Amino acid sequence: MASALVESMPDALRQSRYHMKRCFSRFTGMGARLMKHQHLMEEIEKAIEDKLERVKVLEGSLGQILSSTQEATVVPPYVAFSVRHNPGCFVYVKVNAEDLSVNSITATEYLRLKEMIFDENWSKDENALEVDFGAFDFGTPQLALSSSIGKGVSFISKFMASKLSGDPESAKPLLEYLLTLNHQGENLMINETLNTVTKLQTALIVAEVFVSAMLKDTPYQIFENKLKEWGFEKGWGDTPEKVSETMRMLSETLQAPDPVNMEAFFSRLPVIFNVVIFSVHGYFGQSDVLGLPDTGGQVVYILDQVKALEEELLLRIKQQGLNVKPQILVVTRLIPDAQGTKCNQEIEPIINTSHSHIVRVPFRTEKGVLSQWISRFDIYPYLERFAQDATAKVLELMKDKPDLILGNYTDGNLVASLTARKLGVTLGTIAHALEKTKYEDSDVKWKEFEQKHHFSCQFTADIIAMNAADFVVTSTFQEIAGSETRPGQYESHMAFTMPGLYRVVSGINVFDPKFNIAAPGADQSVYFPFTDKNKRFTSFRPAIEELLYSKANNDEHIGFLADRKKPIIFSMSRIDVVKNITGLTEWYGKNKRLRDLVNLVIVGGCLDPSKSKDREEMDEIKKMHVLIEKYQLKGQIRWIAAQTDRNRNGELYRCIADTKGAFVQPALYEAFGLTVIEAMNCGLPTFATIQGGPAEIIVHGISGFHIDPYNGDETGNKIADFFEKCKRYSGYWNRISEASLRRIYECYTWNIFAKRMLNIGSTYGFWRQLNKEQKNAKQRYIDLFYNQQFRQIAQDMAIKSEEIEQIPTTE
Ligand code: UDP
Ligand code: LCN
């Protein structure tokens, strides 16, 4: 389809030659530049004024190409198009604007043309560094269908099933893997007695008959010795029923492997007991940290995840018939100057768990320990040393290697990849938000962003970690491969260039089966429906009443709600540009109908810009004050500073639901959007951005509504229409509220997540063994890239940030 599209282009251009000449001369008329889709369309509109003619041109194959064009690179007389004809699938074509000749070009050629605009000399340098991680993927199976992206584990199971089938020799890798399983040196599942596939198969038949004849509640200890004589160790199950089920799964897998059995068998294997989760940048704590700069959903996501993982691990270990205590360590940075939080404590047990802890390791340099919080954009120089110190700490505390390492966000993923490399452990990475797609042209214009954002380090760290990972977990499909119109976060790392640094022709392939979607949930003991009257946290009511309705303007809230009979539209987030709280305030300010129908309540940030430590937050806070004045919002708006008590926040969502209000998530881009599922868990109808994860969480018009953050007028009206409709049809609000809850229970709970995560971890643990040679080859390339690129850039950054205060070490 892709090549057919491109092949049809010369003909299409010829047919509309007159119009095309005009269009292309407009494209090239302003000299070398990048043009985005919208921009191309505007120029076409100007070049072909007659609407009928324009429609005719755009209906043909030319229209198809243009509608899938993400951007065009104009370097007169050439215009090159980057055409995304399907998620994850790009082709590049170059048209000569003078004679309209067309050529298909490679990613390298396209990127070099693009570099001409920003750094001509570098573009012409034959030896400029070009990075191609795809060169190592020759033996790895790849998905073919866009619709399969993110379903890695099922694909891998199918592939493994076919690889292991045939004669007993083909199943040998599985046997060898089972022979390696142990916990602290004690064999699990099988021992050396069963050192051939045939012996294993025969023993399984005998053992299964024996175990099936046992009474249902016979304890494992009763038949343990008999099984041991045949070569079976612990780990098969805690009851005769479980043991024989697991044995049957393996027997069937050895007889004729099928993916369903294979997946089920791997979910039973006792391979994960100790887990390390890296979330490096601060503030990471259990209380008083949310809403601080850079500290948002990632912290919530990890703490809730740990609880769910521990619960699931305990259940699985019990069902495996083992008496082992799992351990989960969340490793973050220790911040001596903790600003009233517990981020200066080295070890902190995680609330509501029995075997999980936060471990804090400081950032050290030759001069000492870094005392303050620093922005996530500035921490790259500290990561290598942190990884070394953290690895040592983990080994000391766990007394053993972890079985699974998970990274979070760029910094955590890089550190996780270094640690996993060192210890030889299965690695999963999670990105929460890759910054690359958040800022337009952040790759080609990296030099402009460098001083503030250090994208040279960040993007380098990202591609290192995503290539090193055995599996990547994402919350949504969009995160990987975007939507029809917008490329996904990972997809944007397929081919890009940072002129002067390096050009990436294959950074990551979204068809790689390492990608898996596992959506998070929200803690349902905190976020539950407003209708669960008996459970409600009524003790918070006076405080919430004060927060929402008192007239006082102070450090905690400004503005007031004059008419408290009106429903409330509510939003809560960190205050940064991308969260777009100022956008929501402006849409509300401008829309009289909406203002008449509802009040607006915002929770986030601090109210005094001079109290913020974050550059971007400061500007947004100032903008909020300007907007409140400009639209005379006092009387209709209440702006409350960041709230860090989760239980009270849970009750706040429910109090908003009591007013028959709604939650609005207006972000310019949202990777997932935990607040969206928190609100939905409380039964609060939700309007959330179409840009990113919420587009998948909500089924528009059924379990909530999508809004376009780039079209404030339309969005304001959409919300107003909803409230008018609620006035006309009394059941409408409840209908949306109930559908939100159904959606959550079906797809977005932590228990679903934990089961999936452990199955993924266990399957890829075997897959990395099966795929060892290729993995090692790629790792060598990653090592080189880390050493020659990342380290150098991070070192340059370190020199520039020398003035940061450090506490001299006393050791
Ligand atoms: N949050 C909070 N208080 C605030 C702002 C946010 O407790 O003042 C919480 C919110 O309830 C959610 C998390 O922080 O659990 C934000 O996660 P989300 O995924 O919405 O955004 P992120 O900040 O991770 O980009
Ligand atoms: C970071 C984000 O920006 C959010 O979109 C996510 O919900 C959060 O992390 C948790 O993954």
Side-chain angles (χ1 to χ4, degrees):
M1 139 95 173
S3 60
L5 254 189
V6 175
E7 276 161 23
S8 68
M9 198 165 176
D11 267 352
L13 287 173
R14 217 170 295 127
Q15 274 162 23
S16 321
R17 194 170 174 84
Y18 169 74
H19 291 307
M20 281 303 109
K21 280 286 254 190
R22 279 176 62 94
C23 287
F24 276 86
S25 72
R26 282 198 80 92
F27 296 159
T28 50
M30 287 177 67
R33 61 184 167 146
L34 275 185
M35 293 177 76
K36 301 292 166 195
H37 176 77
Q38 182 63 20
H39 198 176
L40 283 169
M41 289 315 198
E42 283 162 15
E43 291 294 332
I44 292 174
E45 204 164 304
K46 286 180 200 149
I48 316 176
E49 280 162 8
D50 185 296
K51 194 168 171 204
L52 270 179
E53 285 290 313
R54 195 166 63 239
V55 169
K56 222 162 75 191
V57 169
L58 290 179
E59 266 173 357
S61 53
L62 206 58
Q64 260 189 5
I65 292 180
L66 288 170
S67 68
S68 342
T69 295
Q70 287 298 310
E71 67 174 13
T73 293
V74 181
V75 178
Y78 298 110
V79 181
F81 298 90
S82 156
V83 184
R84 179 176 176 264
H85 56 93
N86 244 327
C89 304
F90 286 83
V91 285
Y92 305 96
V93 268
K94 188 169 86 172
V95 179
N96 184 328
E98 283 162 9
D99 60 11
L100 297 188
S101 58
V102 182
N103 279 303
S104 181
I105 55 174
T106 61
T108 301
E109 287 164 324
Y110 179 77
L111 294 172
R112 285 184 80 164
L113 206 61
K114 204 164 157 178
E115 289 152 12
M116 290 286 285
I117 305 172
F118 301 92
D119 191 340
E120 198 176 331
N121 286 338
W122 197 78
S123 161
K124 287 184 177 154
D125 180 352
E126 288 293 328
N127 296 314
L129 176 58
E130 189 164 292
V131 182
D132 183 2
F133 283 100
F136 294 86
D137 287 339
F138 48 88
T140 322
Q142 304 288 334
L143 308 165
L145 304 174
S146 297
S147 56
S148 299
I149 291 174
K151 298 177 185 161
V153 113
S154 340
F155 180 81
I156 287 290
S157 302
K158 286 187 194 132
F159 187 78
M160 291 195 309
S162 68
K163 213 168 167 177
L164 298 181
S165 42
D167 48 38
E169 205 42 35
S170 321
K172 220 169 145 202
L174 180 56
L175 172 83
E176 282 164 2
Y177 181 64
L178 293 177
L179 281 169
T180 64
L181 300 187
N182 74 90
H183 181 254
Q184 293 180 343
E186 199 185 323
N187 281 339
L188 294 173
M189 301 301 280
I190 57 172
N191 59 38
E192 275 299 327
T193 320
L194 301 175
N195 58 1
T196 70
V197 174
T198 317
K199 281 188 203 166
L200 174 60
Q201 274 179 308
T202 317
L204 279 169
I205 296 170
V206 178
E208 204 202 320
V209 171
F210 169 76
V211 176
S212 306
M214 300 267 152
L215 284 178
K216 238 173 125 189
D217 43 11
T218 315
Y220 185 82
Q221 289 84 327
I222 303 287
F223 52 95
E224 181 177 355
N225 284 340
K226 191 79 203 154
L227 288 186
K228 211 175 169 96
E229 271 174 35
W230 289 325
F232 294 103
E233 299 287 339
K234 285 185 196 153
W236 293 89
D238 57 339
T239 61
E241 197 183 355
K242 274 262 166 328
V243 172
S244 71
E245 268 173 20
T246 317
M247 287 184 162
R248 170 68 60 89
M249 282 173 190
L250 180 58
S251 282
E252 285 181 1
T253 299
L254 293 174
Q255 171 183 272
D258 80 278
V260 176
N261 240 323
M262 194 103 183
E263 253 188 276
F265 179 65
F266 275 102
S267 73
R268 295 264 175 122
L269 278 188
V271 286
I272 303 179
F273 306 104
N274 293 343
V275 183
V276 169
I277 300 180
F278 283 103
S279 170
V280 180
H281 63 257
Y283 294 88
F284 192 104
Q286 300 188 78
S287 53
D288 301 325
V289 298
L290 288 177
L292 293 178
D294 291 355
T295 308
Q298 184 172 321
V299 173
V300 176
Y301 174 98
I302 292 167
L303 291 172
D304 286 352
Q305 177 185 154
V306 167
K307 276 171 239 157
L309 281 179
E310 189 186 288
E311 247 168 58
E312 184 64 22
L313 276 173
L314 284 168
L315 179 73
R316 287 187 181 203
I317 291 171
K318 186 190 157 292
Q319 290 178 344
Q320 284 152 358
L322 300 175
N323 185 15
V324 169
K325 293 208 176 10
Q327 294 187 75
I328 304 180
L329 298 182
V330 176
V331 185
T332 186
R333 78 165 279 217
L334 183 144
I335 310 176
D337 182 3
Q339 305 278 320
T341 68
K342 289 192 181 154
C343 296
N344 52 0
Q345 275 188 18
E346 190 185 342
I347 297 186
E348 195 187 338
I350 296 181
I351 299 166
N352 294 329
T353 68
S354 309
H355 311 283
S356 307
H357 293 85
I358 300 174
V359 179
R360 299 194 179 88
V361 176
F363 279 170
R364 281 176 201 279
T365 67
E366 279 158 18
K367 289 198 209 147
V369 164
L370 197 67
S371 62
Q372 315 115 316
W373 171 86
I374 50 168
S375 154
R376 69 189 193 282
F377 294 119
D378 299 332
I379 69 175
Y380 297 100
Y382 307 98
L383 296 182
E384 183 169 309
R385 177 73 194 263
F386 177 83
Q388 289 159 0
D389 295 348
T391 308
K393 194 83 213 163
V394 164
L395 292 177
E396 178 196 320
L397 293 171
M398 280 193 163
K399 311 262 182 301
D400 202 354
K401 280 198 312 191
D403 308 302
L404 176 64
I405 295 182
L406 298 173
N408 286 273
Y409 192 73
T410 312
D411 48 358
N413 287 336
L414 185 78
V415 170
S417 73
L418 294 174
T419 306
R421 162 91 175 113
K422 182 156 182 189
L423 302 179
V425 171
T426 311
L427 169 69
T429 60
I430 299 170
H432 298 283
L434 291 165
E435 301 289 340
K436 189 167 173 294
T437 36
K438 285 199 197 167
Y439 301 81
E440 191 165 88
D441 296 327
S442 53
D443 42 15
V444 266
K445 295 184 182 160
W446 68 277
K447 285 185 185 152
E448 286 173 31
F449 289 96
E450 194 58 7
Q451 206 194 348
K452 252 187 172 181
H453 294 92
H454 305 291
F455 288 148
S456 61
C457 271
Q458 181 143 21
F459 302 168
T460 306
D462 279 330
I463 50 171
I464 287 174
M466 59 182 88
N467 277 289
D470 293 299
F471 62 90
V472 175
V473 165
T474 70
S475 302
T476 59
F477 175 94
Q478 300 237 346
E479 207 180 315
I480 314 170
S483 57
E484 223 170 86
T485 50
R486 183 185 173 116
Q489 295 190 48
Y490 285 95
E491 197 181 355
S492 85
H493 290 74
M494 291 176 82
F496 65 97
T497 183
M498 296 203 273
L501 201 60
Y502 55 80
R503 171 189 313 130
V504 180
V505 288
S506 168
I508 190 78
N509 182 353
V510 296
F511 289 92
D512 192 311
K514 68 167 63 177
F515 284 104
N516 283 284
I517 305 166
D523 184 337
Q524 290 173 330
S525 64
V526 176
Y527 306 101
F528 54 82
F530 73 104
T531 45
D532 284 358
K533 293 263 181 300
N534 296 337
K535 278 167 76 183
R536 295 222 11 201
F537 306 152
T538 44
S539 61
F540 292 122
R541 291 286 170 75
I544 291 176
E545 168 77 20
E546 200 279 333
L547 273 185
L548 292 177
Y549 296 114
S550 83
K551 289 260 159 66
N553 278 319
N554 53 31
D555 283 354
E556 203 176 16
H557 38 67
I558 60 167
F560 65 97
L561 307 181
D563 179 358
R564 55 179 295 175
K565 286 202 287 302
K566 284 201 271 185
I568 289 174
I569 56 170
F570 173 51
S571 198
M572 173 163 73
S573 76
R574 294 178 288 116
I575 301 282
D576 67 23
V577 174
V578 181
K579 290 290 179 193
N580 197 28
I581 290 294
T582 48
L584 170 62
T585 309
E586 182 140 39
W587 309 334
Y588 179 77
K590 277 185 175 168
N591 193 317
K592 166 136 187 1
R593 194 160 62 101
L594 186 61
R595 288 174 66 165
D596 288 344
L597 284 162
V598 292
N599 290 316
L600 173 63
V601 171
I602 302 285
V603 168
C606 55
L607 310 181
D608 176 355
S610 67
K611 298 227 169 88
S612 170
K613 283 190 289 174
D614 188 75
R615 316 173 266 248
E616 195 174 306
E617 189 184 63
M618 244 178 252
D619 293 343
E620 285 295 291
I621 294 171
K622 285 185 200 149
K623 196 164 163 195
M624 275 300 280
H625 288 286
V626 171
L627 290 171
I628 291 173
E629 280 314 306
K630 178 171 169 195
Y631 293 104
Q632 297 287 299
L633 292 177
K634 292 209 172 124
Q636 292 176 317
I637 192 174
R638 179 71 148 181
W639 175 18
I640 304 166
Q643 293 299 308
T644 57
D645 184 333
R646 295 181 81 195
N647 288 320
R648 195 164 87 177
N649 288 348
E651 194 53 29
L652 180 58
Y653 284 109
R654 287 185 287 272
C655 288
I656 306 288
D658 291 336
T659 74
K660 292 279 177 275
F663 186 76
V664 185
Q665 213 290 7
L668 299 177
Y669 180 77
E670 187 61 62
F672 181 68
L674 286 178
T675 52
V676 172
I677 54 170
E678 288 166 2
M680 289 168 74
N681 262 290
C682 295
L684 184 58
T686 300
F687 291 79
T689 181
I690 185 84
Q691 301 290 354
E696 253 164 81
I697 303 175
I698 290 173
V699 182
H700 179 68
I702 295 178
S703 43
F705 302 90
H706 297 156
I707 52 174
D708 179 357
Y710 293 100
N711 193 342
D713 292 344
E714 180 198 89
T715 297
N717 284 327
K718 213 183 237 182
I719 305 174
D721 291 346
F722 168 77
F723 283 101
E724 271 175 1
K725 195 161 170 185
C726 289
K727 276 187 163 175
R728 284 199 308 275
Y729 308 107
S730 60
Y732 187 55
W733 190 95
N734 280 337
R735 198 166 90 203
I736 301 291
S737 164
E738 282 158 16
S740 321
L741 286 165
R742 276 199 299 278
R743 178 83 182 147
I744 291 290
Y745 301 145
E746 273 162 24
C747 311
Y748 300 98
T749 73
W750 278 116
N751 184 256
I752 301 176
F753 175 95
K755 287 194 159 62
R756 229 178 120 56
M757 177 60 106
L758 293 180
N759 292 353
I760 292 170
S762 154
T763 308
Y764 285 84
F766 177 51
W767 174 242
R768 71 196 294 275
Q769 299 301 330
L770 212 55
N771 207 13
K772 203 162 28 196
E773 278 155 30
Q774 179 153 353
K775 195 172 162 52
N776 287 344
K778 193 174 218 173
Q779 186 62 50
R780 285 295 183 194
Y781 189 60
I782 295 171
D783 292 346
L784 189 77
F785 193 55
Y786 174 80
N787 200 296
Q788 295 301 307
Q789 281 295 309
F790 181 82
R791 268 185 144 184
Q792 306 299 325
I793 319 169
Q795 212 160 30
D796 286 351
M797 234 181 108
I799 296 166
K800 287 183 196 130
S801 54
E802 274 207 318
E803 68 278 8
I804 295 178
E805 189 191 328
Q806 316 210 355
I807 307 168
T809 14
T810 44
E811 301 154 24

